[in-house]
């Protein structure tokens, strides 16, 4: 299949961790298994008795209140399906109205001004995008805001930016406050062009103090269901915050997109949705029917390789990845770093034995893959620890005091790479792997600055 040519849902010129706890068995204190390479098969050899669909379900976070109630009912002996449960108890899937209105409290529009010089003349250009409030201290008027890197970056700017091509004049506006009196000055904290994520800071804002603003609540984007409702909240055409509705079309796929500086193509992990996405939606949130963030909108497909029109292909960076990158940027900021530092294992992997697993009780299709180590680079973090042919079954990240920062069963190829943004110097990454007929625990300490790569 030919790859689609994609256009970033760029700001109009004139104008994203939740990590899933392991459930069902403790991967990190296990006897040897007998020669299987599929993580579910390893689990069954170690005593798990449920179906593959049940195993996958237990490794996801059911963010829906109705699903939580269903799981509790099953524990109490209810034997019907999820849809039976909704029918029996006169429950319905939420229409999203109240949840979307709550999510609006976490939405902002973004206005970025850059200067272009032409000979002896200069001209200011304004661009519009959107963002979501990552954290908020309303009493102090302080907040961190996530947006897209390309919303605040202008490759043609020639002003006096403290960070080249990143605007020094950024304003954000809360919902309903898009006028001059609602302007809130924001500063650039840092960003990662390769992941199209940037973080802005607001300090001591009276407008924020007097508002109903709140930090966004995030869902586990690894547990998305194809067909579930999705709401894009953004600033299309720079006309102010608005909402469009659609569904999750593809829960996770890689797309090729031109970098903000237009010098290279990036391969970005994205959620695909048919919710209307237009220029100015960039940086805004994609939310589920519970008002929880599932992604940061950043792109849309406009034409294919033959110039044919493509409709209803919008894209959002999964919330698990976007929020991990944002948190990394914020944690690095006190040292003067303006980017995100990702822990690098020094391995290549491939996703094998990909298949769909339908789990009847939830009426849900899961995708699952075996993630196999293809090579290990000498002198890197995983050298002498992970081996070619290892199947990665689970990963756990602990800090220097032994506290668990994140842990997840590995069922998709992108999960390990995304989790590496949660690693800091002094942390340890522990893998459970299937190796030559045995289940092995492998510890990879990140005690060397050379084990990290900067994205800015």
């Amino acid at each position: 299949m030919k790859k689609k040519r994609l256009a970033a849902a760029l700001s109009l010129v004139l104008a994203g961790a939740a990590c899933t706890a392991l459930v069902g068995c403790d991967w990190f204190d296990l006897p040897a298994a007998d020669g299987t390479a599929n993580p579910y098969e390893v689990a069954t050899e170690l005593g798990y008795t449920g179906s593959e669909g049940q195993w996958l379900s237990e490794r996801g976070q059911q963010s829906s209140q109705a699903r939580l109630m269903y799981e509790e009912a099953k524990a109490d002996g209810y034997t019907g399906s999820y849809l039976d449960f909704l029918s029996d108890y006169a429950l319905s899937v939420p229409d999203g109205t109240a949840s979307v209105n709550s999510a609006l409290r976490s939405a902002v529009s973004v206005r970025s001004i850059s200067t272009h010089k032409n000979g002896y003349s200069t001209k200011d250009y304004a661009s519009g995008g959107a963002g979501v409030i990552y954290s908020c201290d309303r009493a102090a008027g302080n907040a961190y805001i996530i947006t897209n890197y390309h919303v605040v970056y202008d490759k043609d700017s020639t002003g006096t930016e403290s960070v080249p091509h990143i605007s020094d004049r950024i304003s954000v506006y809360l919902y309903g406050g898009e006028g001059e009196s609602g302007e809130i000055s924001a500063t650039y904290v840092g960003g990662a062009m390769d992941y199209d994520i940037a973080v802005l800071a607001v300090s001591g804002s009276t407008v924020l103090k007097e508002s109903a603003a709140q930090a966004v609540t995030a869902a586990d984007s690894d547990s998305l269901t194809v067909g579930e409702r999705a709401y894009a909240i953004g600033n299309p055409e720079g006309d102010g915050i608005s909402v469009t509705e659609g569904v999750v079309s593809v829960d996770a796929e890689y797309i090729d997109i031109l970098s903000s500086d237009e010098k290279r193509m990036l391969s970005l992990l994205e959620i695909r949705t048919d919710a209307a996405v237009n220029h100015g939606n960039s940086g805004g949130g994609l939310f589920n029917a519970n008002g929880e963030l599932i992604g940061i909108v950043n792109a849309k497909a406009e034409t294919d390789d033959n110039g044919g029109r493509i409709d209803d292909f919008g894209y959002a960076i999964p919330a698990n990845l976007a929020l991990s990158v944002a948190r990394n940027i914020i944690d690095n900021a006190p040292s003067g770093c303006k980017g995100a530092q990702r822990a690098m294992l020094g391995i290549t992997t491939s996703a094998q034995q990909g298949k769909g697993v339908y789990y009847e009780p939830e009426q849900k299709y899961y995708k699952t893959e075996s993630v196999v180590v293809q090579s290990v680079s000498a002198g890197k973090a995983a050298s002498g620890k992970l081996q070619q042919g290892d199947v990665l079954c689970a990963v756990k990240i602990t800090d220097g005091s032994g506290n668990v920062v994140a842990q997840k069963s590995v069922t998709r190829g992108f999960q390990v790479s995304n989790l590496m943004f949660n690693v800091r110097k002094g942390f340890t990454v522990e893998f459970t792997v299937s190796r030559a007929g045995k289940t092995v625990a492998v510890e990879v300490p990140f005690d060397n600055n050379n084990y990290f790569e900067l994205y800015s």
Side-chain angles (χ1 to χ4, degrees):
M1 178 182 293
K2 291 184 177 180
K3 292 195 174 180
K4 300 170 285 295
R5 186 173 299 279
L6 300 166
L10 281 169
S11 29
L12 182 70
V13 174
L14 222 217
C19 292
T20 306
L22 300 175
V23 180
C25 62
D26 185 354
W27 280 108
F28 298 97
D29 185 22
L30 295 175
D34 184 20
T36 48
N38 178 289
Y40 167 68
E41 293 172 350
V42 172
T44 61
E45 293 201 3
L46 296 169
Y48 186 80
T49 59
S51 69
E52 188 168 8
Q54 181 180 350
W55 184 81
L56 290 166
S57 172
E58 289 173 355
R59 270 135 193 86
Q61 289 182 341
Q62 301 295 347
S63 57
S64 160
Q65 184 62 34
R67 285 192 180 275
L68 290 172
M69 294 169 63
Y70 171 59
E71 293 299 328
E72 292 177 1
K74 283 201 304 180
D76 290 336
Y78 183 79
T79 58
S81 71
Y82 176 59
L83 294 183
D84 291 336
F85 175 75
L86 295 179
S87 175
D88 290 346
Y89 292 93
L91 297 174
S92 61
V93 177
D95 70 2
T97 303
S99 298
V100 166
N101 275 264
S102 180
L104 286 170
R105 299 171 63 186
S106 306
V108 301
S109 55
V110 179
R111 188 168 186 262
S112 177
I113 299 175
S114 59
T115 301
H116 295 189
K117 293 182 180 180
N118 184 10
Y120 294 103
S121 64
T122 62
K123 186 175 182 178
D124 286 345
Y125 287 84
S127 60
V132 297
I133 299 174
Y134 174 75
S135 65
C136 182
D137 180 353
R138 205 163 64 218
N142 300 338
Y144 283 115
I145 293 164
I146 302 174
T147 187
N148 285 145
Y149 191 91
H150 73 256
V151 167
V152 294
Y153 180 93
D154 182 348
K155 70 179 181 64
D156 296 319
S157 66
T158 52
T160 57
E161 300 95 343
S162 57
V163 178
H165 304 291
I166 297 291
S167 176
D168 288 328
R169 292 174 289 172
I170 303 171
S171 299
V172 299
Y173 303 82
L174 301 173
Y175 179 69
E178 285 91 352
E180 184 176 342
S181 62
E183 181 178 8
I184 303 172
S185 179
T187 57
Y188 178 74
V189 177
M193 183 188 295
D194 284 15
Y195 291 88
D196 203 15
I197 291 293
V199 177
L200 311 177
V202 169
S203 301
S205 167
T206 300
V207 173
L208 190 63
K209 291 178 184 179
E210 297 174 352
S211 73
Q214 64 181 11
V216 72
T217 298
D220 176 14
S221 58
D222 286 356
S223 297
L224 290 177
T225 302
V226 171
E228 72 172 277
R229 291 181 180 174
Y231 300 85
I233 302 180
N235 180 26
E237 304 304 313
D239 290 334
I241 296 172
S242 68
V243 181
T244 54
E245 178 187 11
V247 298
V248 173
S249 303
V250 179
D251 63 339
E253 64 179 336
Y254 281 94
I255 65 171
D256 291 338
I257 188 168
L258 192 63
S259 62
S260 299
D261 60 8
E262 299 185 2
K263 293 181 178 179
R264 56 209 163 93
M265 295 298 293
L266 303 175
S267 180
L268 297 183
L269 181 67
E270 304 276 351
I271 301 163
R272 190 199 305 175
T273 178
D274 69 346
V277 169
N278 291 289
H279 299 286
N281 269 104
S282 284
L286 187 69
F287 294 84
N288 64 17
N290 299 307
E292 298 162 324
L293 184 75
I294 58 176
I296 298 294
V297 174
N298 74 317
K300 65 178 294 184
E302 294 180 333
T303 60
D304 60 24
D305 286 344
N306 297 318
R309 178 174 172 174
I310 298 177
D311 294 323
D312 303 327
F313 273 40
Y315 291 95
I317 303 162
N320 287 6
L321 174 59
L323 269 61
S324 293
V325 174
R327 180 75 257 169
N328 192 299
I329 291 168
I330 292 168
D331 288 349
N332 284 330
S335 67
C337 177
K338 293 290 186 180
Q341 292 182 317
R342 196 182 94 191
M344 305 299 291
L345 289 160
I347 64 173
T348 61
T349 63
S350 67
Q352 301 178 8
Q353 303 179 39
K355 63 180 179 178
V357 177
Y358 185 70
Y359 186 43
E360 182 69 36
E362 292 180 355
Q363 281 79 51
K364 177 169 177 173
Y365 237 128
Y366 290 89
K367 286 183 179 179
T368 179
E369 301 162 334
S370 293
V371 181
V372 183
V373 176
Q374 295 297 300
S375 66
V376 183
S377 298
K380 302 298 183 180
S383 177
K385 301 172 180 67
L386 291 174
Q387 298 178 11
Q388 183 181 16
D390 284 350
V391 178
L392 306 181
C393 296
V395 59
K396 178 167 68 176
I397 301 170
T398 55
D399 64 18
S401 300
N403 301 309
V404 177
V405 174
Q407 57 182 1
K408 184 177 284 289
S409 294
V410 180
T411 59
R412 300 290 295 275
F414 57 79
Q415 291 171 327
V416 174
S417 176
N418 289 356
L419 281 171
M420 292 301 101
F421 278 107
N422 295 287
V423 180
R424 308 289 185 265
K425 187 178 179 182
F427 285 17
T428 297
V429 180
E430 183 178 343
F431 290 95
T432 299
V433 305
S434 177
R435 175 187 296 169
K438 295 186 180 296
T439 299
V440 181
V442 178
E443 289 191 355
V444 182
F446 279 82
D447 52 5
N448 190 320
N449 289 332
N450 293 329
Y451 294 162
F452 294 84
E453 184 169 341
L454 176 65
Y455 295 89
S456 60

